[in-house]
Amino acid sequence: LLSRRQRQMCIRDRVIHVEKGAVCFQEASCPDQVCVRTGRLSKSGQGAVCLPAKVTIQVTGPEREFDAYTGF
């Protein structure tokens, strides 16, 4: 967990930026930059993965929004 003053953390050469209500991969050393291009995550259930580094971030919270509903 980050303290109130911390806004970034580095994990395996990846910079994860945290701000009020959102988190994102800010920098990564991998060539495809998929994790960085995922952008800001702010809704419960959203996540991003950097496969080369085996690092994931996920937003958790009491309410989860759904992109689509399936069923009968």
Side-chain angles (χ1 to χ4, degrees), residues 20-59:
K20 184 176 181 178
V23 62
C24 68
F25 281 98
Q26 188 171 11
E27 296 176 24
S29 59
C30 51
D32 59 11
Q33 299 285 299
V34 171
C35 57
V36 175
R37 290 194 325 256
T38 300
R40 294 176 64 231
L41 309 172
S42 60
K43 297 177 183 171
S44 182
Q46 288 183 317
V49 178
C50 182
L51 290 177
K54 300 178 183 172
V55 175
T56 63
I57 54 177
Q58 184 171 2
V59 178

